[in-house]
Amino acid sequence: MAKLFTPIRFRETEIKNRIFVAPMCQYSADDGIANHWHLVHLGGLAVGGAGLIIVEATAVVPEGRITPRCLGLWSDAHTQAFKPIVEFIKQQGAVPAIQIGHAGRKASCDVPWRNGKFLPQEQGGWQTVAPSAIAVTPAHGVPLALNHADIQQIASQFHAAAERALEAGFEVLELHCAHGYLLHEFLSPLSNHREDEYGGSLENRCRLVLDIARDLRALWPQGKPVFVRISATDWVEGGWDIEQSIQLAKWLKDIGIDLIDCSSGGLTLDAKIPAGPGYQTEFAQRIRHEAGIASGAVGLITSALQAEHILVSGQADVIMLARKLLSDPHWPLHAAKELRTDVTWPDQYVRAKDI
């Protein structure tokens, strides 16, 4: 059997293969509430054979959304809307996961197909927040620098969202600390100019991430895993980088985090990113070997042979797929055939298995 299709276990949670659906924003919610689009989109990915389905970045508060159409988890109505989606994913033999986060200074934007421009308050946007009052670009609004009370309140909002995720039936929780959103903004010296215990040294810049991760790990059942997604580098001189990421991963491992989901970039819009097939797998490999924690590789992984090579060569423990699954939700079933591995198809689709 190809390694891509061998089960993997985190704590008491066994996942049938190493194909994980990376969180991908759909910008299709109303007031943050999941709807039929999310059921069909995520359910289709589960039918397609992926082992773990991670729901897109889900905001812990309304102002933590990237756009007014992003998912949220700040009320009982949000919890109830997720329940049938979670149930359907489980019925297909996949494990449901959810990524919770806060968009910080990159919040209050329009959806991508309307150029994703910043929305001022008079156009349906809201006041953004960040560790420091530094805008993403001159076209974005200047965020409000968080004070100590604000920071503690946001930490409690992550806690409350995690409780709701558990109530909704999710098996895996992922903390979003990547792509220039709030927790990444605390990590990077480019966006964090604070002079208190949340800024300056690496330990201080990591403090909020570690505090929240520690709290979520204590809240989430011990038999269920908690992942953390990071941007391993800002791709900008003087910014967050792989060496700092390795140290953060070591601290997260000590807390009891089970996997580091290794992405990159997103903090600044002018970063020069050498995007290409597998361009981020080096980060997953270094964190896996140097921090001694399981890692997930993501980013322009498109072929079964490429994914298998990443696993067999020890670069990562799992493969996080994103855009390839948008173009082909049944990629896992096709990959199994390419790798000459027999996997179970949904009964309703078996008639197409040998085509």
Side-chain angles (χ1 to χ4, degrees):
M1 178 177 285
K3 188 161 187 178
L4 188 62
F5 290 94
T6 58
I8 188 167
R9 190 178 186 87
F10 295 97
R11 297 179 182 259
E12 297 173 12
T13 301
E14 183 166 284
I15 302 165
K16 67 181 178 181
N17 61 46
R18 296 169 188 244
I19 302 169
F20 290 10
V21 177
M24 292 178 282
C25 290
Q26 297 297 292
Y27 311 105
S28 299
D30 295 313
D31 296 321
I33 296 176
N35 53 42
H36 290 160
W37 176 267
H38 302 93
L39 173 61
V40 173
H41 164 64
L42 296 165
L45 293 169
V47 168
L52 182 85
I53 315 291
I54 308 179
V55 174
E56 66 193 77
T58 301
V60 299
V61 286
E63 60 271 21
R65 291 173 294 171
I66 304 166
T67 77
R69 300 299 306 280
C70 287
L71 283 175
L73 195 47
W74 60 81
S75 79
D76 291 342
H78 297 86
T79 305
Q80 293 303 316
F82 275 125
K83 286 186 174 181
I85 298 172
V86 167
E87 181 181 2
F88 185 83
I89 290 172
K90 289 180 178 179
Q91 288 172 351
Q92 309 316 306
V95 174
I98 188 168
Q99 182 190 75
I100 59 172
H102 190 301
R105 68 179 190 171
K106 289 180 72 177
S108 190
C109 290
D110 208 342
V111 295
W113 48 86
R114 289 201 291 263
N115 298 320
K117 64 182 180 180
F118 176 74
L119 293 174
Q121 295 184 49
E122 61 270 19
Q123 293 180 24
W126 53 87
Q127 175 64 57
T128 58
V129 298
S132 302
I134 305 170
V136 184
T137 72
H140 287 72
V142 176
L144 181 69
L146 295 164
N147 61 33
H148 281 216
D150 297 331
I151 291 171
Q152 295 309 309
Q153 183 178 34
I154 285 173
S156 70
Q157 290 161 345
F158 273 92
H159 183 100
E163 288 183 321
R164 292 190 178 98
L166 190 61
E167 169 64 22
F170 287 101
E171 298 293 323
V172 179
L173 184 70
E174 179 169 272
L175 180 61
H176 196 0
C177 303
H179 302 158
Y181 300 120
L182 183 65
L183 297 184
H184 182 186
E185 292 162 18
F186 272 89
L187 296 175
S188 177
L190 300 178
S191 49
N192 184 347
H193 292 186
R194 301 178 71 96
E195 297 180 351
D196 60 5
E197 66 268 35
Y198 293 102
S201 69
L202 177 61
E203 292 85 353
N204 283 354
R205 285 182 281 114
C206 292
R207 188 180 305 279
L208 180 58
V209 167
L210 294 173
D211 284 349
I212 292 175
R214 189 178 295 108
D215 178 60
L216 297 185
R217 181 60 277 178
L219 177 158
W220 204 246
Q222 286 305 299
K224 300 178 188 292
V226 177
F227 298 167
V228 172
R229 172 166 266 199
I230 66 169
S231 282
T233 179
D234 289 336
W235 299 108
V236 176
E237 186 70 28
W240 182 258
D241 58 26
I242 183 58
E243 301 299 336
Q244 295 173 84
S245 293
I246 291 168
Q247 180 57 67
L248 173 62
K250 290 178 180 178
W251 287 331
L252 289 168
K253 179 187 176 184
D254 291 342
I255 286 171
I257 297 305
D258 298 281
L259 177 138
I260 306 298
D261 178 357
C262 302
S263 191
S264 70
L267 188 85
T268 64
L269 303 186
D270 58 352
K272 293 179 172 57
I273 302 176
Y279 72 105
Q280 297 176 147
T281 56
E282 176 191 355
F283 305 135
Q285 182 175 22
R286 289 197 60 187
I287 284 173
R288 183 174 189 259
H289 291 283
E290 297 179 42
I293 188 171
S295 71
V298 65
L300 295 181
I301 300 170
T302 58
S303 78
L305 289 175
Q306 179 192 13
E308 180 72 2
H309 170 72
I310 291 167
L311 296 176
V312 171
S313 60
Q315 296 176 66
D317 296 274
V318 302
I319 303 298
M320 301 276 187
L321 288 184
R323 281 174 285 179
K324 186 61 181 176
L325 287 173
L326 293 182
S327 67
D328 181 6
H330 300 137
W331 186 93
L333 301 179
H334 303 149
K337 184 179 295 187
E338 183 178 342
L339 296 174
R340 300 180 181 179
T341 296
D342 187 43
V343 298
T344 301
W345 281 48
D347 291 339
Q348 299 90 333
Y349 287 8
V350 167
R351 73 190 78 173
K353 187 173 182 179
D354 296 325
I355 294 177

